[in-house]
Amino acid sequence: MAITTQQSAQLALLAGEPARPNPVHDWGGRMRIALFDFAQAGVGDAGSLAELVKLPAGHVRLILPLSRIAFSAMGASRTMDVGWAAHAGHDGTPVAADPDGLDAAVAVSSAGAVNPSGTVGAGETVLFGAQAGLTLTARIGGGTVPDGATLNGWFVYVVD
């Protein structure tokens, strides 16, 4: 074996011929926070969707370990999926809704809080590109959503 010095993919872009700048969501972007407070008005059937925040247009990198969702007790067997609504990608191509693209089947029978990341995998960030922004959602399954049930918290993202 040997001692090696190797570069990250981002640093290699600068060393290449021709040198290419890194996207702002990788280097030099600004961190932002999108807060939300949601309260269910009336009882919702299983599968009811809560629209939580709208991320801005352009390229946005969502940072899940810094994001947080707190929830009230929703009743036995209730689960929550976290994902996004359908939108147009940065090139105008339709992007399908993925209601559990960020986390799936989070137990919400009793009150608690989570950092969403159960379905993302390594890195725990997600890069979105959307022409007109995109809405992050929570979907409750396993039974009805009680009147007055709450979700609150924030999503942290990088944009420029």
Side-chain angles (χ1 to χ4, degrees):
M1 289 199 276
I3 295 174
T4 65
T5 301
Q6 300 179 7
Q7 295 179 330
S8 68
Q10 291 80 5
L11 192 56
L13 286 175
L14 297 176
E17 288 295 328
R20 295 182 301 185
N22 284 287
V24 294
H25 53 76
D26 281 353
W27 282 10
R30 294 174 290 166
M31 188 176 290
R32 298 286 187 231
I33 188 167
L35 298 169
F36 62 91
D37 287 300
F38 172 84
Q40 178 72 23
V43 175
D45 287 338
S48 291
L49 200 64
E51 295 181 336
L52 303 177
V53 301
K54 184 166 184 178
L55 298 179
H59 287 94
V60 175
R61 183 171 297 278
L62 188 60
I63 304 173
L64 294 170
L66 299 179
S67 301
R68 190 84 167 149
I69 301 173
F71 44 87
S72 61
M74 301 213 188
S77 303
R78 302 309 191 276
T79 61
M80 175 179 65
D81 296 332
V82 182
W84 57 86
H87 59 280
H90 71 281
D91 60 357
T93 305
V95 177
D98 190 347
D100 64 354
L102 301 175
D103 215 339
V106 175
V108 292
S109 56
S110 58
V114 296
N115 300 85
S117 64
T119 58
V120 175
E124 296 181 333
T125 71
V126 181
L127 178 61
F128 292 105
Q131 281 189 339
L134 73 141
T135 302
L136 299 182
T137 62
R139 178 179 67 184
I140 305 302
T144 59
V145 184
D147 181 34
T150 61
L151 299 169
N152 58 60
W154 58 86
F155 287 98
V156 175
Y157 61 94
V158 175
V159 68
D160 208 348

